[in-house]
Short mmCIF file of all heavy atoms in Angstrom, two decimals:
data_model
loop_
_atom_site.label_atom_id
_atom_site.label_comp_id
_atom_site.label_asym_id
_atom_site.label_seq_id
_atom_site.Cartn_x
_atom_site.Cartn_y
_atom_site.Cartn_z
N ASP A 408 -293.62 6.79 20.54
CA ASP A 408 -294.39 6.56 21.76
C ASP A 408 -294.00 7.53 22.87
O ASP A 408 -294.10 7.19 24.06
CB ASP A 408 -294.20 5.12 22.24
CG ASP A 408 -294.67 4.11 21.21
OD1 ASP A 408 -295.66 4.41 20.53
OD2 ASP A 408 -294.04 3.05 21.08
N LEU A 409 -293.51 8.75 22.51
CA LEU A 409 -293.06 9.68 23.54
C LEU A 409 -294.18 10.08 24.48
O LEU A 409 -293.93 10.40 25.63
CB LEU A 409 -292.45 10.94 22.90
CG LEU A 409 -293.38 11.92 22.17
CD1 LEU A 409 -292.64 13.23 21.95
CD2 LEU A 409 -293.86 11.41 20.84
N GLY A 410 -295.41 10.07 24.02
CA GLY A 410 -296.56 10.24 24.91
C GLY A 410 -296.92 11.65 25.26
O GLY A 410 -298.10 11.96 25.41
N GLY A 411 -295.99 12.61 25.39
CA GLY A 411 -296.32 13.96 25.83
C GLY A 411 -296.05 15.00 24.76
O GLY A 411 -295.12 14.87 23.95
N PHE A 412 -296.84 16.03 24.77
CA PHE A 412 -296.71 17.11 23.79
C PHE A 412 -295.47 17.95 24.06
O PHE A 412 -294.88 18.52 23.14
CB PHE A 412 -297.96 17.98 23.83
CG PHE A 412 -297.95 19.10 22.84
CD1 PHE A 412 -298.04 18.85 21.48
CD2 PHE A 412 -297.84 20.42 23.25
CE1 PHE A 412 -298.03 19.88 20.55
CE2 PHE A 412 -297.82 21.46 22.34
CZ PHE A 412 -297.93 21.19 20.99
N GLU A 413 -295.05 18.02 25.33
CA GLU A 413 -293.90 18.85 25.68
C GLU A 413 -292.63 18.39 24.98
O GLU A 413 -291.77 19.20 24.64
CB GLU A 413 -293.70 18.87 27.19
CG GLU A 413 -294.79 19.61 27.95
CD GLU A 413 -294.88 21.07 27.54
OE1 GLU A 413 -293.82 21.69 27.33
OE2 GLU A 413 -296.00 21.58 27.42
N ALA A 414 -292.49 17.07 24.77
CA ALA A 414 -291.29 16.56 24.10
C ALA A 414 -291.25 17.07 22.66
O ALA A 414 -290.19 17.47 22.16
CB ALA A 414 -291.28 15.04 24.14
N LEU A 415 -292.39 17.04 21.97
CA LEU A 415 -292.44 17.55 20.61
C LEU A 415 -292.25 19.06 20.59
O LEU A 415 -291.53 19.60 19.74
CB LEU A 415 -293.78 17.18 19.97
CG LEU A 415 -294.01 17.65 18.52
CD1 LEU A 415 -292.94 17.08 17.61
CD2 LEU A 415 -295.39 17.25 18.04
N LYS A 416 -292.85 19.75 21.55
CA LYS A 416 -292.69 21.20 21.63
C LYS A 416 -291.24 21.58 21.87
O LYS A 416 -290.76 22.62 21.40
CB LYS A 416 -293.59 21.74 22.74
CG LYS A 416 -293.54 23.25 22.92
CD LYS A 416 -294.45 23.68 24.06
CE LYS A 416 -294.34 25.16 24.34
NZ LYS A 416 -295.20 25.58 25.48
N GLY A 417 -290.52 20.73 22.60
CA GLY A 417 -289.11 21.02 22.89
C GLY A 417 -288.23 20.98 21.66
O GLY A 417 -287.10 21.49 21.70
N CYS A 418 -288.71 20.37 20.57
CA CYS A 418 -287.93 20.33 19.33
C CYS A 418 -288.15 21.58 18.48
O CYS A 418 -287.44 21.77 17.48
CB CYS A 418 -288.30 19.09 18.52
SG CYS A 418 -287.86 17.55 19.31
N VAL A 419 -289.13 22.40 18.81
CA VAL A 419 -289.43 23.60 18.03
C VAL A 419 -288.43 24.70 18.37
O VAL A 419 -288.06 24.89 19.53
CB VAL A 419 -290.87 24.07 18.30
CG1 VAL A 419 -291.17 25.35 17.52
CG2 VAL A 419 -291.86 22.98 17.94
N HIS A 420 -288.00 25.42 17.38
CA HIS A 420 -287.09 26.55 17.61
C HIS A 420 -287.76 27.55 18.54
O HIS A 420 -288.94 27.87 18.37
CB HIS A 420 -286.76 27.22 16.27
CG HIS A 420 -285.62 28.18 16.34
ND1 HIS A 420 -285.74 29.45 16.89
CD2 HIS A 420 -284.33 28.08 15.94
CE1 HIS A 420 -284.59 30.07 16.81
NE2 HIS A 420 -283.71 29.27 16.22
N PRO A 421 -287.04 28.05 19.55
CA PRO A 421 -287.67 28.97 20.52
C PRO A 421 -288.37 30.16 19.86
O PRO A 421 -289.42 30.60 20.34
CB PRO A 421 -286.48 29.43 21.38
CG PRO A 421 -285.49 28.30 21.28
CD PRO A 421 -285.64 27.75 19.89
N ASP A 422 -287.80 30.69 18.78
CA ASP A 422 -288.42 31.84 18.12
C ASP A 422 -289.72 31.49 17.41
O ASP A 422 -290.53 32.37 17.11
CB ASP A 422 -287.45 32.46 17.10
CG ASP A 422 -286.24 33.07 17.77
OD1 ASP A 422 -286.30 33.34 18.99
OD2 ASP A 422 -285.22 33.27 17.08
N ASP A 423 -289.92 30.19 17.14
CA ASP A 423 -291.11 29.78 16.39
C ASP A 423 -292.21 29.22 17.28
O ASP A 423 -293.28 28.87 16.77
CB ASP A 423 -290.73 28.72 15.34
CG ASP A 423 -289.81 29.28 14.27
OD1 ASP A 423 -289.74 30.51 14.14
OD2 ASP A 423 -289.15 28.48 13.57
N ILE A 424 -291.96 29.13 18.57
CA ILE A 424 -293.00 28.61 19.47
C ILE A 424 -294.26 29.49 19.43
O ILE A 424 -295.38 28.97 19.38
CB ILE A 424 -292.44 28.48 20.90
CG1 ILE A 424 -291.44 27.33 20.96
CG2 ILE A 424 -293.57 28.24 21.90
CD1 ILE A 424 -290.80 27.13 22.31
N PRO A 425 -294.14 30.84 19.45
CA PRO A 425 -295.36 31.65 19.34
C PRO A 425 -296.12 31.40 18.03
O PRO A 425 -297.35 31.47 18.01
CB PRO A 425 -294.84 33.09 19.41
CG PRO A 425 -293.52 32.99 20.12
CD PRO A 425 -292.95 31.68 19.69
N ILE A 426 -295.40 31.11 16.96
CA ILE A 426 -296.06 30.83 15.68
C ILE A 426 -296.87 29.55 15.80
O ILE A 426 -298.03 29.48 15.37
CB ILE A 426 -295.02 30.71 14.55
CG1 ILE A 426 -294.26 32.03 14.39
CG2 ILE A 426 -295.70 30.32 13.24
CD1 ILE A 426 -293.15 31.97 13.35
N GLY A 427 -296.27 28.51 16.39
CA GLY A 427 -296.99 27.26 16.58
C GLY A 427 -298.18 27.42 17.51
O GLY A 427 -299.25 26.83 17.27
N ARG A 428 -298.03 28.22 18.57
CA ARG A 428 -299.13 28.44 19.49
C ARG A 428 -300.28 29.18 18.79
O ARG A 428 -301.45 28.83 18.96
CB ARG A 428 -298.65 29.26 20.70
CG ARG A 428 -299.71 29.42 21.79
CD ARG A 428 -299.18 30.25 22.94
NE ARG A 428 -298.05 29.61 23.60
CZ ARG A 428 -296.82 30.10 23.61
NH1 ARG A 428 -296.55 31.25 22.97
NH2 ARG A 428 -295.85 29.47 24.22
N GLY A 429 -299.93 30.18 17.98
CA GLY A 429 -300.96 30.90 17.24
C GLY A 429 -301.66 30.00 16.23
O GLY A 429 -302.88 30.11 16.03
N LEU A 430 -300.90 29.10 15.60
CA LEU A 430 -301.51 28.17 14.64
C LEU A 430 -302.48 27.24 15.35
O LEU A 430 -303.56 26.93 14.82
CB LEU A 430 -300.41 27.37 13.94
CG LEU A 430 -300.85 26.46 12.79
CD1 LEU A 430 -301.39 27.31 11.64
CD2 LEU A 430 -299.68 25.61 12.31
N LEU A 431 -302.13 26.83 16.56
CA LEU A 431 -303.02 25.96 17.33
C LEU A 431 -304.29 26.71 17.74
O LEU A 431 -305.40 26.14 17.70
CB LEU A 431 -302.29 25.44 18.57
CG LEU A 431 -303.05 24.48 19.48
CD1 LEU A 431 -303.41 23.20 18.71
CD2 LEU A 431 -302.24 24.13 20.72
N GLU A 432 -304.15 27.98 18.13
CA GLU A 432 -305.31 28.77 18.52
C GLU A 432 -306.25 29.04 17.35
O GLU A 432 -307.46 29.15 17.55
CB GLU A 432 -304.85 30.10 19.13
CG GLU A 432 -304.10 29.94 20.45
CD GLU A 432 -303.50 31.25 20.93
OE1 GLU A 432 -303.57 32.24 20.15
OE2 GLU A 432 -302.98 31.30 22.07
N ARG A 433 -305.69 29.12 16.14
CA ARG A 433 -306.51 29.39 14.96
C ARG A 433 -306.78 28.13 14.14
O ARG A 433 -307.08 28.22 12.94
CB ARG A 433 -305.82 30.43 14.06
CG ARG A 433 -305.57 31.77 14.72
CD ARG A 433 -305.01 32.77 13.72
NE ARG A 433 -303.79 32.29 13.09
CZ ARG A 433 -302.57 32.46 13.60
NH1 ARG A 433 -302.42 33.09 14.76
NH2 ARG A 433 -301.50 32.00 12.98
N ALA A 434 -306.67 26.99 14.78
CA ALA A 434 -306.82 25.72 14.06
C ALA A 434 -308.16 25.68 13.32
O ALA A 434 -309.21 26.04 13.87
CB ALA A 434 -306.72 24.55 15.03
N ALA A 435 -308.12 25.24 12.07
CA ALA A 435 -309.32 25.18 11.23
C ALA A 435 -310.20 24.01 11.65
O ALA A 435 -309.71 22.92 11.95
CB ALA A 435 -308.93 25.05 9.77
N GLY A 436 -311.50 24.26 11.67
CA GLY A 436 -312.45 23.21 11.97
C GLY A 436 -312.75 22.38 10.74
O GLY A 436 -312.21 22.60 9.65
N PRO A 437 -313.63 21.39 10.87
CA PRO A 437 -313.98 20.53 9.74
C PRO A 437 -314.54 21.34 8.58
O PRO A 437 -315.42 22.18 8.76
CB PRO A 437 -315.04 19.59 10.33
CG PRO A 437 -314.80 19.61 11.80
CD PRO A 437 -314.31 20.99 12.12
N GLY A 438 -314.01 21.11 7.39
CA GLY A 438 -314.49 21.79 6.20
C GLY A 438 -313.93 23.17 5.98
O GLY A 438 -314.17 23.77 4.94
N GLN A 439 -313.18 23.70 6.93
CA GLN A 439 -312.61 25.03 6.78
C GLN A 439 -311.24 24.96 6.11
O GLN A 439 -310.59 23.91 6.08
CB GLN A 439 -312.47 25.71 8.16
CG GLN A 439 -313.80 25.99 8.84
CD GLN A 439 -313.60 26.65 10.20
OE1 GLN A 439 -312.49 26.66 10.74
NE2 GLN A 439 -314.67 27.20 10.74
N GLN A 440 -310.82 26.10 5.57
CA GLN A 440 -309.54 26.16 4.91
C GLN A 440 -308.41 26.06 5.93
O GLN A 440 -308.38 26.78 6.92
CB GLN A 440 -309.40 27.49 4.13
CG GLN A 440 -308.11 27.64 3.37
CD GLN A 440 -307.99 26.68 2.21
OE1 GLN A 440 -308.99 26.37 1.58
NE2 GLN A 440 -306.79 26.20 1.96
N LEU A 441 -307.47 25.17 5.65
CA LEU A 441 -306.34 25.00 6.55
C LEU A 441 -305.38 26.18 6.45
O LEU A 441 -305.13 26.71 5.37
CB LEU A 441 -305.59 23.71 6.23
CG LEU A 441 -306.15 22.40 6.80
CD1 LEU A 441 -305.39 21.21 6.23
CD2 LEU A 441 -306.07 22.39 8.32
N GLU A 442 -304.84 26.58 7.57
CA GLU A 442 -303.81 27.61 7.62
C GLU A 442 -302.48 26.93 7.85
O GLU A 442 -302.35 26.02 8.67
CB GLU A 442 -304.10 28.61 8.73
CG GLU A 442 -303.08 29.72 8.83
CD GLU A 442 -303.42 30.73 9.91
OE1 GLU A 442 -304.58 30.71 10.38
OE2 GLU A 442 -302.54 31.50 10.31
N THR A 443 -301.47 27.35 7.12
CA THR A 443 -300.15 26.74 7.26
C THR A 443 -299.19 27.72 7.92
O THR A 443 -299.38 28.93 7.87
CB THR A 443 -299.58 26.33 5.89
OG1 THR A 443 -299.42 27.50 5.08
CG2 THR A 443 -300.52 25.34 5.19
N ALA A 444 -298.15 27.17 8.51
CA ALA A 444 -297.10 27.98 9.12
C ALA A 444 -295.77 27.26 8.94
O ALA A 444 -295.71 26.03 9.01
CB ALA A 444 -297.37 28.22 10.60
N GLU A 445 -294.74 28.03 8.68
CA GLU A 445 -293.40 27.46 8.53
C GLU A 445 -292.69 27.55 9.87
O GLU A 445 -292.49 28.65 10.40
CB GLU A 445 -292.63 28.18 7.43
CG GLU A 445 -293.24 27.98 6.05
CD GLU A 445 -292.45 28.66 4.96
OE1 GLU A 445 -291.50 29.41 5.29
OE2 GLU A 445 -292.77 28.45 3.77
N ILE A 446 -292.30 26.41 10.39
CA ILE A 446 -291.72 26.32 11.73
C ILE A 446 -290.44 25.49 11.66
O ILE A 446 -290.40 24.45 10.99
CB ILE A 446 -292.72 25.68 12.72
CG1 ILE A 446 -293.96 26.58 12.87
CG2 ILE A 446 -292.08 25.42 14.07
CD1 ILE A 446 -295.04 25.98 13.73
N ARG A 447 -289.42 25.95 12.37
CA ARG A 447 -288.15 25.21 12.40
C ARG A 447 -288.19 24.15 13.51
O ARG A 447 -288.55 24.44 14.65
CB ARG A 447 -287.00 26.17 12.64
CG ARG A 447 -286.67 27.05 11.43
CD ARG A 447 -285.81 28.23 11.80
NE ARG A 447 -286.57 29.21 12.58
CZ ARG A 447 -286.07 30.36 13.01
NH1 ARG A 447 -284.81 30.68 12.74
NH2 ARG A 447 -286.81 31.20 13.70
N ILE A 448 -287.80 22.94 13.11
CA ILE A 448 -287.79 21.80 14.03
C ILE A 448 -286.37 21.27 14.15
O ILE A 448 -285.66 21.13 13.14
CB ILE A 448 -288.72 20.66 13.52
CG1 ILE A 448 -290.15 21.18 13.35
CG2 ILE A 448 -288.67 19.46 14.44
CD1 ILE A 448 -290.86 21.47 14.64
N ARG A 449 -285.95 20.98 15.38
CA ARG A 449 -284.60 20.44 15.60
C ARG A 449 -284.53 19.01 15.11
O ARG A 449 -285.34 18.16 15.51
CB ARG A 449 -284.22 20.52 17.07
CG ARG A 449 -282.74 20.15 17.34
CD ARG A 449 -282.33 20.32 18.79
NE ARG A 449 -283.09 19.42 19.65
CZ ARG A 449 -283.98 19.83 20.55
NH1 ARG A 449 -284.23 21.12 20.68
NH2 ARG A 449 -284.61 18.96 21.32
N SER A 450 -283.57 18.73 14.24
CA SER A 450 -283.45 17.41 13.65
C SER A 450 -282.50 16.54 14.47
O SER A 450 -281.99 16.96 15.52
CB SER A 450 -282.95 17.52 12.20
OG SER A 450 -281.66 18.11 12.17
N THR A 451 -282.24 15.34 13.98
CA THR A 451 -281.43 14.37 14.73
C THR A 451 -279.99 14.83 14.89
O THR A 451 -279.32 14.44 15.86
CB THR A 451 -281.45 13.02 14.00
OG1 THR A 451 -281.05 13.22 12.64
CG2 THR A 451 -282.84 12.42 14.01
N ASP A 452 -279.47 15.67 13.97
CA ASP A 452 -278.08 16.13 14.09
C ASP A 452 -277.96 17.43 14.88
O ASP A 452 -276.88 18.03 14.94
CB ASP A 452 -277.46 16.30 12.71
CG ASP A 452 -278.22 17.32 11.85
OD1 ASP A 452 -279.19 17.91 12.34
OD2 ASP A 452 -277.84 17.51 10.68
N GLY A 453 -279.06 17.89 15.47
CA GLY A 453 -279.02 19.09 16.30
C GLY A 453 -279.29 20.38 15.55
O GLY A 453 -279.47 21.42 16.19
N THR A 454 -279.31 20.34 14.23
CA THR A 454 -279.62 21.53 13.45
C THR A 454 -281.14 21.67 13.30
O THR A 454 -281.89 20.71 13.53
CB THR A 454 -278.98 21.47 12.06
OG1 THR A 454 -279.49 20.33 11.34
CG2 THR A 454 -277.46 21.34 12.18
N TYR A 455 -281.55 22.85 12.89
CA TYR A 455 -282.99 23.10 12.72
C TYR A 455 -283.34 23.04 11.24
O TYR A 455 -282.63 23.59 10.39
CB TYR A 455 -283.37 24.47 13.29
CG TYR A 455 -283.43 24.49 14.80
CD1 TYR A 455 -282.32 24.87 15.54
CD2 TYR A 455 -284.58 24.11 15.47
CE1 TYR A 455 -282.37 24.89 16.93
CE2 TYR A 455 -284.63 24.13 16.86
CZ TYR A 455 -283.53 24.51 17.58
OH TYR A 455 -283.57 24.52 18.95
N ARG A 456 -284.42 22.35 10.95
CA ARG A 456 -284.91 22.21 9.58
C ARG A 456 -286.27 22.90 9.45
O ARG A 456 -287.08 22.86 10.39
CB ARG A 456 -285.05 20.73 9.18
CG ARG A 456 -283.73 19.99 9.15
CD ARG A 456 -283.93 18.54 8.70
NE ARG A 456 -284.39 18.45 7.33
CZ ARG A 456 -283.60 18.48 6.27
NH1 ARG A 456 -282.28 18.64 6.43
NH2 ARG A 456 -284.09 18.36 5.05
N TRP A 457 -286.49 23.50 8.29
CA TRP A 457 -287.77 24.16 8.04
C TRP A 457 -288.84 23.12 7.76
O TRP A 457 -288.64 22.19 6.98
CB TRP A 457 -287.67 25.10 6.85
CG TRP A 457 -287.01 26.41 7.17
CD1 TRP A 457 -285.74 26.79 6.86
CD2 TRP A 457 -287.60 27.51 7.87
NE1 TRP A 457 -285.50 28.05 7.32
CE2 TRP A 457 -286.62 28.52 7.95
CE3 TRP A 457 -288.85 27.72 8.45
CZ2 TRP A 457 -286.85 29.73 8.58
CZ3 TRP A 457 -289.09 28.94 9.08
CH2 TRP A 457 -288.10 29.93 9.14
N THR A 458 -289.97 23.27 8.40
CA THR A 458 -291.12 22.39 8.16
C THR A 458 -292.36 23.24 7.92
O THR A 458 -292.42 24.40 8.35
CB THR A 458 -291.38 21.44 9.34
OG1 THR A 458 -291.79 22.21 10.49
CG2 THR A 458 -290.15 20.62 9.68
N GLU A 459 -293.31 22.65 7.24
CA GLU A 459 -294.60 23.29 7.03
C GLU A 459 -295.64 22.57 7.87
O GLU A 459 -295.81 21.36 7.74
CB GLU A 459 -294.98 23.22 5.55
CG GLU A 459 -296.27 23.97 5.21
CD GLU A 459 -296.61 23.85 3.73
OE1 GLU A 459 -297.04 22.77 3.31
OE2 GLU A 459 -296.42 24.85 3.00
N CYS A 460 -296.31 23.31 8.73
CA CYS A 460 -297.22 22.70 9.70
C CYS A 460 -298.66 23.16 9.45
O CYS A 460 -298.90 24.33 9.12
CB CYS A 460 -296.82 23.08 11.13
SG CYS A 460 -295.15 22.56 11.58
N THR A 461 -299.57 22.23 9.63
CA THR A 461 -301.00 22.55 9.61
C THR A 461 -301.66 21.86 10.80
O THR A 461 -301.18 20.81 11.26
CB THR A 461 -301.68 22.06 8.31
OG1 THR A 461 -301.56 20.64 8.22
CG2 THR A 461 -301.04 22.69 7.08
N ILE A 462 -302.72 22.46 11.29
CA ILE A 462 -303.44 21.89 12.43
C ILE A 462 -304.94 21.95 12.13
O ILE A 462 -305.47 23.02 11.80
CB ILE A 462 -303.14 22.65 13.74
CG1 ILE A 462 -301.63 22.61 14.04
CG2 ILE A 462 -303.92 22.04 14.90
CD1 ILE A 462 -301.24 23.35 15.31
N ARG A 463 -305.58 20.82 12.25
CA ARG A 463 -307.03 20.72 12.06
C ARG A 463 -307.70 20.45 13.40
O ARG A 463 -307.31 19.54 14.13
CB ARG A 463 -307.35 19.60 11.08
CG ARG A 463 -308.83 19.29 10.93
CD ARG A 463 -309.52 20.29 10.04
NE ARG A 463 -309.13 20.13 8.64
CZ ARG A 463 -309.53 20.93 7.67
NH1 ARG A 463 -310.34 21.96 7.96
NH2 ARG A 463 -309.15 20.74 6.43
N ASP A 464 -308.68 21.28 13.74
CA ASP A 464 -309.40 21.13 15.01
C ASP A 464 -310.51 20.09 14.85
O ASP A 464 -311.56 20.37 14.27
CB ASP A 464 -309.98 22.48 15.44
CG ASP A 464 -310.68 22.41 16.80
OD1 ASP A 464 -310.67 21.31 17.41
OD2 ASP A 464 -311.21 23.43 17.23
N LEU A 465 -310.25 18.90 15.35
CA LEU A 465 -311.24 17.82 15.33
C LEU A 465 -311.59 17.39 16.76
O LEU A 465 -311.89 16.23 17.02
CB LEU A 465 -310.73 16.63 14.53
CG LEU A 465 -310.49 16.88 13.03
CD1 LEU A 465 -309.96 15.63 12.35
CD2 LEU A 465 -311.78 17.36 12.36
N THR A 466 -311.54 18.37 17.68
CA THR A 466 -311.87 18.04 19.07
C THR A 466 -313.33 17.65 19.22
O THR A 466 -313.71 16.95 20.17
CB THR A 466 -311.56 19.24 19.97
OG1 THR A 466 -312.24 20.41 19.46
CG2 THR A 466 -310.06 19.51 20.01
#
Side-chain angles (χ1 to χ4, degrees):
D408 300 324
L409 70 165
F412 181 69
E413 291 300 320
L415 180 59
K416 181 180 175 182
C418 295
V419 178
H420 193 284
D422 294 342
D423 295 342
I424 289 179
I426 299 176
R428 186 181 297 115
L430 187 65
L431 182 62
E432 294 173 353
R433 299 186 303 273
Q439 295 180 345
Q440 181 68 35
L441 278 172
E442 181 178 344
T443 62
E445 294 182 353
I446 296 175
R447 287 164 289 182
I448 302 290
R449 188 176 63 247
S450 62
T451 54
D452 60 2
T454 61
Y455 285 93
R456 295 182 65 83
W457 282 104
T458 66
E459 185 180 74
C460 301
T461 62
I462 301 179
R463 173 79 71 184
D464 183 2
L465 296 179
T466 54

